[in-house]
Amino acid sequence: MAKKINMSNDEPVIYCGPSIPKFGLVQFAIYRGYLPENVNNAAARIEEIKKVIVPIHRLNAFRRELAKIGSEAHRLYNLIAEQAKERDI
């Protein structure tokens, strides 16, 4: 079942984490109004996934943070990739 995103203006959101093929999760996939079941299933296994789903207007700032080694965005991206690999997801 799809889960509604709490968005007052129904702005699209974008997944900025690494692609995880086993869940059909693709980096920079855009969602509007809800997160599909595959995204919720992936987030149930790796909770940090929802932390890298950001409103589309924050994409540029998030990508700048992602490029900074040691930033929270960089840490989350690497943690998700590491956990997906360790759990063979």
Side-chain angles (χ1 to χ4, degrees), residues 51-69:
K51 295 178 182 177
V52 296
I53 298 174
V54 299
I56 204 95
H57 76 270
R58 289 197 51 229
L59 176 60
N60 289 337
F62 194 87
R63 289 192 71 185
R64 281 192 298 273
E65 282 299 307
L66 196 55
K68 292 180 189 175
I69 295 173

Side-chain angles (χ1 to χ4, degrees), residues 9-20:
N9 63 356
D10 200 33
E11 179 180 10
V13 294
I14 187 164
Y15 170 68
C16 297
S19 293
I20 304 176

